[in-house]
Amino acid sequence: MTSNSDNKQPVSTQETYIETVQAEPTHSEATNAQVTEQPTKVVRRFVSRHRSPLSVLLLSAIVGVLAGLLCTAFDMAIDWVVTERSHWVQTDGGVDFLTVTAVALTSALLSAFGFFLVNRVAPEAAGSGIPEIEGALDNLRPVRWWRVIPVKFFGGVGTIGAGLVLGREGPSVQMGASVGRMLTDIFRIKDDEGRHTLLASGAAAGLAAAFNAPLAGIMFVVEEMRPQFKYNLISIKAVMIAAITATVVYRSLQGQGAMIPLPAHADVPLAALALFLVLGLIFGFIGVMFNRMVVITMDSFERFHQHDTKRFVAVGAGLGAMFGLMLFLLPKLTGEGVELIPDAVHGDFALSMLALLFVARLITTLACFGSGAPGGVFAPMLALGTLFGTGFGLFCMHLFPHMDITAGMFAVAGMGALFAATVRAPITGILLVMELTHNYELILPLLITTLGATMTAQVMGGKPLYSQLLQRTLAKQKATQSDAENDVENEERPENSGDDTQPRHTQPTGAKPKS
């Protein structure tokens, strides 16, 4: 990454370097070139044209392929851990004391391993990682891809595989973006625009591979990261190429079916559209409260462990053991919650059960995501939105029996509404739901519900979740730097005792204090 000192070098020195090495015309981007490090012979010819559209687009395709392979492997590794543990429980005598103890212990170890990696190797890999990428697009946060990728991969497999209520999309976005930064470092790309474009392309590829949703991956970067994303023809084409190639890689390995297959729904009666607006208004309030509770939960966990390794790992082990036990006692409260969505849409839960599941999973989602575990919150939010939407739909069916509506209609609309209210990206939420479910008939109710949720959240003064988390990280970073500067000043300041004018710790042996 080009440092500030590089940007402040004399223009004449940089122009001389460019004329003698690359023989390129000087333009505004030349001031960002780094003169202390030259490309290797293998990539020099390609790198000499890295500012051309073709070079950036070719690199974005490579980013998409690599991010697709990495995120698909991440998805398969989590599925393998979860499936093997379930198979072991079912085939080795069922539920008994030894089995329960073994599952709780393995869950504790898996989760503790993920927490340990985050605390000791890559603290920036905590949580979803999306705020880190938004900060990197603004040149406010570094991307240390060499440590983020392995920590996010293995740490995420540990915590999500242990049964914690976390999603795999946040880690996929951070790993995909890290792949983009890795290629810019390998090919020695120094101009800020090229590095920015490949970083954003990797983020889009990560989300596309995580959800098998290329349109949602593209729109997430354009809409959610709009304050940071530098929109132009080259950057948007690069983002599209990366998302497409990542999706092709995912589908070639995992199949082309919908990730959450749901039955097709009939057209919603026009008279019932007002109910979807009401649902959206309610979700707007829930989204604002959810974001505030996330920050409160994070602050509470930090006050407890104070970034001490033993305490932090103990939190992870305790959560892992608890959710390992819940795999037997309350399995519907563990994991991402994606498997609950078809059950809710098909009407497998009564209204009272939906309310209990919503409250319980809200608590577990806050506890897991707020703990600092490496994992995302997209999938848990989709499950929460589905549960509440289904309950609202059942209530409306009893209240308006003459209307030709089903609870499944409101369930699908709820998936996108909570996402829109928390992340404040309504178009991304709509595209994500349609690509996940292949349910394109409900686009009008989805539009109305997500619009109502977004407007309500805005009127209430709520901020987008990832913007809040980024501001929180930057505030902590600033406070840490300020404390470090104060410590240095205190060490350098002379410490006077009585009439002593020399520093107590620097006074030479045998020197007499001045009187």
Side-chain angles (χ1 to χ4, degrees):
M1 182 180 294
T2 304
S3 62
N4 293 334
S5 61
D6 295 329
N7 292 333
K8 296 179 181 179
Q9 291 180 5
V11 176
S12 60
T13 303
Q14 296 181 4
E15 290 176 350
T16 302
Y17 172 77
I18 293 171
E19 291 173 357
T20 57
V21 177
Q22 295 182 335
E24 291 184 358
T26 304
H27 49 79
S28 61
E29 291 182 350
T31 58
N32 291 325
Q34 186 177 27
V35 301
T36 59
E37 190 175 21
Q38 297 184 16
T40 61
K41 292 181 179 180
V42 178
V43 297
R44 183 175 297 156
R45 186 174 181 180
F46 182 75
V47 173
S48 67
R49 301 295 299 167
H50 73 267
R51 293 186 181 88
S52 68
L54 181 60
S55 300
V56 174
L57 297 181
L58 287 176
L59 279 176
S60 68
I62 298 174
V63 169
V65 172
L66 295 179
L69 289 171
L70 179 64
C71 296
T72 303
F74 181 66
D75 185 73
M76 295 171 68
I78 294 173
D79 289 340
W80 181 84
V81 172
V82 174
T83 302
E84 286 299 315
R85 293 175 69 213
S86 300
H87 178 72
W88 178 71
V89 170
Q90 294 172 0
T91 57
D92 285 11
V95 179
D96 55 29
F97 178 77
L98 290 178
T99 302
V100 172
T101 303
V103 171
L105 181 60
T106 55
S107 294
L109 293 175
L110 285 170
S111 181
F113 176 68
F115 276 72
F116 176 81
L117 289 178
V118 165
N119 184 267
R120 295 301 298 270
V121 182
E124 64 269 32
S128 68
I130 294 176
E132 291 287 332
I133 302 307
E134 292 184 355
L137 290 173
D138 261 343
N139 295 320
L140 299 174
R141 298 290 294 170
V143 180
R144 301 181 179 95
W145 54 267
W146 58 90
R147 71 185 196 184
V148 167
I149 291 176
V151 168
K152 206 71 175 186
F153 188 96
F154 294 106
V157 170
T159 55
I160 300 173
L164 272 64
V165 183
L166 297 167
R168 55 191 80 181
E169 72 295 324
S172 296
V173 171
Q174 190 175 20
M175 288 190 295
S178 297
V179 168
R181 180 50 54 85
M182 179 183 71
L183 286 185
T184 62
D185 290 346
I186 291 175
F187 287 94
R188 310 284 177 83
I189 295 178
K190 301 304 176 185
D191 67 293
D192 184 66
E193 187 168 333
R195 295 168 67 87
H196 176 98
T197 298
L198 293 181
L199 188 70
S201 299
L207 185 62
F211 280 133
N212 190 17
L215 280 175
I218 297 167
M219 188 53 60
F220 178 75
V221 171
V222 175
E223 186 181 29
E224 158 60 19
M225 299 182 177
R226 63 189 180 278
Q228 298 85 19
F229 181 61
K230 298 177 182 178
Y231 183 91
N232 56 55
L233 287 177
I234 302 303
S235 63
I236 193 62
K237 287 179 183 178
V239 167
M240 293 174 66
I241 290 173
I244 291 170
T245 52
T247 306
V248 170
V249 170
Y250 176 87
R251 293 186 179 183
S252 64
L253 297 174
Q254 295 284 76
Q256 301 194 54
M259 186 170 287
I260 308 175
L262 296 178
H265 290 86
D267 293 333
V268 177
L270 296 179
L273 293 178
L275 298 176
F276 288 90
L277 179 59
V278 174
L279 178 62
L281 299 178
I282 298 174
F283 266 120
F285 173 80
I286 295 175
V288 173
M289 293 298 103
F290 180 83
N291 289 357
R292 293 176 181 175
M293 287 187 289
V294 165
V295 175
I296 293 173
T297 306
M298 286 183 168
D299 292 339
S300 300
F301 272 104
E302 287 195 3
R303 282 194 298 269
F304 173 74
H305 60 68
Q306 299 177 355
H307 300 287
D308 178 72
T309 301
K310 293 181 179 180
R311 289 190 178 187
F312 191 70
V313 174
V315 169
L319 287 173
M322 181 178 69
F323 281 92
L325 292 175
M326 290 171 63
L327 287 172
F328 296 99
L329 304 176
L330 299 167
K332 296 189 183 300
L333 301 184
T334 65
E336 298 173 281
V338 174
E339 68 283 350
L340 290 176
I341 295 176
D343 296 338
V345 173
H346 292 147
D348 293 348
F349 302 122
L351 185 59
S352 58
M353 179 58 69
L354 288 169
L356 289 174
L357 283 175
F358 176 80
V359 174
R361 284 195 64 88
L362 176 62
I363 296 172
T364 55
T365 300
L366 291 171
C368 294
F369 186 67
S371 66
V377 74
F378 273 22
M381 281 196 301
L382 293 177
L384 288 173
T386 302
L387 292 171
F388 190 90
T390 306
F392 183 85
L394 290 175
F395 179 76
C396 290
M397 289 175 64
H398 286 88
L399 198 62
F400 306 102
H402 60 283
M403 284 190 179
D404 188 16
I405 55 176
T406 63
M409 297 175 177
F410 293 90
V412 175
M415 290 176 62
L418 184 58
F419 178 90
T422 54
V423 182
R424 204 67 60 80
I427 301 177
T428 304
I430 293 170
L431 293 175
L432 183 61
V433 170
M434 289 192 300
E435 290 185 290
L436 280 174
T437 65
H438 287 188
N439 216 305
Y440 301 95
E441 297 84 2
L442 299 177
I443 185 170
L444 185 58
L446 267 169
L447 284 167
I448 294 173
T449 311
T450 53
L451 178 63
T454 306
M455 292 178 61
T456 303
Q458 186 173 0
V459 169
M460 292 182 63
K463 296 180 180 180
L465 176 61
Y466 296 121
S467 297
Q468 283 184 272
L469 298 182
L470 176 59
Q471 291 176 4
R472 179 176 178 272
T473 300
L474 295 176
K476 290 170 55 182
Q477 175 181 313
K478 185 177 180 180
T480 302
Q481 292 175 349
S482 178
D483 292 341
E485 292 174 358
N486 291 335
D487 291 340
V488 172
E489 292 178 358
N490 292 334
E491 290 178 0
E492 295 177 351
R493 183 182 298 120
E495 297 182 7
N496 298 330
S497 176
D499 294 330
D500 291 349
T501 57
Q502 273 195 347
R504 183 180 305 166
H505 298 292
T506 59
Q507 182 172 310
T509 304
K512 297 180 180 180
K514 295 180 181 180
S515 58

